[in-house]
Amino acid sequence: MMLGKRETGNRKRLVLAVHDVTPAHASKLAQVYSLLAERGLTRYALLVVPDWHGEWPLEQHAGFVDDLLQRQAAGAEIFLHGYRHHEAGFRRTWMQHLGVAGRTAASAEFYLAPPDQAARRLDRGLALFAALGLQPVGFIPPAWLYGPGLADLLRQRNVGLTEGFWAIANLATHRQVFAPALSWSTARPWRSHLTAGIAAVRRVLETAPDLVRVAIHPPDVHVPVVARSLRETRGRLVTMRQVVTYRDALR
Ligand SMILES: [Zn+2]
């Protein structure tokens, strides 16, 4: 079959997200950024945490914020990603414990926060971003874990774009695009090997879906088996797909 010129317009797409963007991870993030820059990538999502574990308030790290502003100007999309990214101060009920089993050790901040506290943390995060010049396109809760009412809180604040493990979504238009996150785990060596194995299979399988989503966490670059897998996955997907922003993917 002859491939016409229109074929390029139909090229399969890829969204890339860098999670847990905080000055606490500055040196690992620098490595992630250079991994992306090697392929000339600038249109990735940055999931920024306002005050990582209550110890890394963004406003006290001017150089880090300047770097984010430059990346934003170059086409990166900023997402608010929790407030502290830590569930300290909240107690899991037994049912909640079951609900997040295997998903996260202690990052269920916006799953456990009661609506009034979730609202307060959202407002503080959004106000801080506004003061710093960061223009978030959406909100993604830590570990993709949503508490009851969180979607409504986001809609009330015109925070449109979000995602879960299985899909990305625009809360304003109700558009959802199925794209299970391709991510790695560095929590245990066996999990690193397992997720690298899954990535290897998915690199081959995922020629079909219109949209593939890759989630990169800063520790990924420090575990050799994961770093190698990440590099191979990036290499293969970027060759076959066009990197788009979340906004484009949800248009
Ligand atoms: Zn996170």
Side-chain angles (χ1 to χ4, degrees):
M1 192 181 83
M2 285 281 287
L3 295 179
K5 258 197 164 165
R6 287 180 58 214
E7 207 69 21
T8 52
N10 296 331
R11 206 167 151 204
K12 306 269 187 182
R13 296 173 304 164
L14 168 68
V15 287
L16 283 167
V18 182
H19 286 238
D20 303 347
V21 174
T22 159
H25 290 146
S27 66
K28 290 178 187 133
L29 285 167
Q31 288 177 257
V32 172
Y33 296 150
S34 67
L35 188 82
L36 298 171
E38 280 169 20
R39 302 299 293 251
L41 302 174
T42 53
R43 296 204 294 170
Y44 39 79
L46 294 172
L47 278 56
V48 182
V49 184
D51 186 9
W52 179 260
H53 292 198
E55 293 172 0
W56 294 87
L58 272 185
E59 70 275 20
Q60 290 178 19
H61 298 270
F64 188 85
V65 173
D66 282 345
D67 178 75
L68 292 182
L69 291 171
Q70 283 174 30
R71 292 180 194 281
Q72 176 177 259
E77 286 180 314
I78 305 291
F79 282 83
L80 181 61
H81 184 47
Y83 189 80
R84 293 183 175 171
H85 204 287
H86 197 277
E87 57 190 70
F90 303 121
R91 281 224 357 228
R92 294 184 186 184
T93 64
W94 193 76
M95 284 301 287
Q96 285 170 327
H97 211 84
L98 283 180
V100 302
R103 298 284 298 275
T104 178
S107 301
E109 180 187 22
F110 274 80
Y111 177 74
L112 299 178
D116 60 324
Q117 295 198 46
R120 208 172 316 141
R121 288 182 188 220
L122 277 178
D123 289 336
R124 282 172 63 189
L126 292 170
L128 177 64
F129 277 17
L132 297 175
L134 296 169
Q135 295 156 357
V137 300
F139 174 88
I140 296 170
W144 294 301
L145 290 169
Y146 283 77
L150 181 54
D152 287 332
L153 293 176
L154 296 174
R155 262 187 221 104
Q156 288 158 13
R157 286 160 181 77
N158 289 319
V159 178
L161 306 193
T162 190
E163 67 177 20
F165 179 79
W166 295 103
I168 65 174
N170 185 331
L171 293 170
T173 62
H174 298 277
R175 182 165 154 72
Q176 281 201 34
V177 179
F178 180 72
L182 204 176
S183 65
W184 292 261
S185 171
T186 50
R188 299 270 186 283
W190 68 267
R191 290 182 67 163
S192 297
H193 284 274
L194 176 67
T195 49
I198 292 170
V201 172
R202 286 187 57 178
R203 279 200 295 275
V204 178
L205 287 183
E206 297 219 348
T207 47
D210 284 335
L211 182 70
V212 167
R213 171 167 54 126
V214 171
I216 303 170
H217 291 82
D220 293 349
V221 293
H222 267 212
V223 177
V225 62
V226 171
R228 202 159 48 239
S229 172
L230 178 59
R231 188 174 288 273
E232 283 163 13
T233 302
R234 175 217 58 181
R236 182 169 168 102
L237 291 176
V238 166
T239 322
M240 294 166 43
R241 289 173 176 271
Q242 181 189 5
V243 179
V244 297
T245 61
Y246 276 68
R247 271 174 296 191
D248 284 338
L250 283 160
R251 227 181 280 281

